[in-house]
Amino acid sequence: MRIGVCPGSFDPVTNGHVDIFSRASKMFDLVIAAVFHNPNKKPLFTMEERVEMLNLATKDITNIKVDSFSGLLYDYVLQQNSNFIVRGLRALSDFEYEFQRALLIKKIVPEIETIFMMTSNEYSFVSSSSIKELAKFGGPITGLVPECLEEKITKRIREKS
């Protein structure tokens, strides 16, 4: 079975993330959307909330599993019996950062391959941080996040502001 792991903080999940999951689901037998606990970040949503939101946002993708993890990505990937990490890229700056990370993982665990997927044009400017900033100041996030989560995301961002 070919398994692709899509790691990220997903705080919050965007339509760009869902687009990558959907496209990856055509390449792999199973896609794992893995919420990463990053101790260097203060997330807007708890790990459990992000997992729940990803489950709602990806309910139409039949071969996806949502999970969470902390620790080293390559350990998690191997624990999932996978050799593939899927990374979505929006811009050249994303590539530079992700390329260095991929090379480091490749050095440590040569059998793991990192697959880079360019975002669809319509989501190239969408990031979780831009969604938070837009909603914080009352801007519309319609079409940028899954419709089923728009109200929850807007409410939480405004509560925290």
Side-chain angles (χ1 to χ4, degrees):
M1 177 183 272
R2 190 166 261 169
I3 300 169
V5 176
C6 297
S9 56
F10 309 115
D11 187 44
V13 61
T14 70
N15 284 343
H17 295 130
V18 176
D19 175 61
I20 295 293
F21 302 148
S22 178
R23 291 167 46 213
S25 75
K26 295 174 178 87
M27 299 169 57
F28 295 96
D29 300 310
L30 176 66
V31 172
I32 301 173
V35 181
F36 172 63
H37 169 69
N38 186 339
N40 299 322
K41 289 186 177 181
K42 289 196 69 164
L44 185 63
F45 294 95
T46 67
M47 180 81 76
E48 294 77 19
E49 288 172 317
R50 287 179 279 156
V51 167
E52 177 188 329
M53 289 191 305
L54 276 169
N55 276 315
L56 289 170
T58 61
K59 68 183 181 305
D60 294 332
I61 303 172
T62 57
N63 61 332
I64 194 165
K65 173 180 122 178
V66 177
D67 196 11
S68 62
F69 75 101
S70 59
L72 295 169
L73 175 58
Y74 63 81
D75 282 340
Y76 177 79
V77 170
L78 294 173
Q79 288 167 7
Q80 300 306 307
N81 296 312
S82 177
N83 291 342
F84 300 100
I85 298 168
V86 179
R87 293 292 203 176
L89 302 175
R90 295 180 311 250
L92 189 57
S93 57
D94 287 348
F95 176 75
E96 290 179 48
Y97 176 74
E98 295 296 346
F99 184 66
Q100 287 181 339
R101 290 175 60 179
L103 288 176
L104 178 61
I105 289 173
K106 190 75 170 159
K107 176 72 175 167
I108 297 167
V109 188
E111 62 268 23
I112 292 181
E113 297 291 344
T114 300
I115 311 297
F116 296 113
M117 294 183 72
M118 297 307 300
T119 188
S120 295
N121 287 339
E122 63 200 282
Y123 304 118
S124 63
F125 58 90
V126 178
S127 67
S128 294
S129 56
S130 66
I131 295 298
K132 289 186 261 194
E133 186 175 337
L134 187 61
K136 178 180 179 179
F137 294 105
I141 60 172
T142 301
L144 305 176
V145 299
E147 187 178 338
C148 62
L149 301 174
E150 186 177 335
E151 187 177 322
K152 179 182 182 100
I153 292 168
T154 300
K155 184 178 179 195
R156 174 64 57 85
I157 291 168
R158 290 187 181 152
E159 284 172 356
K160 295 278 184 170
S161 297

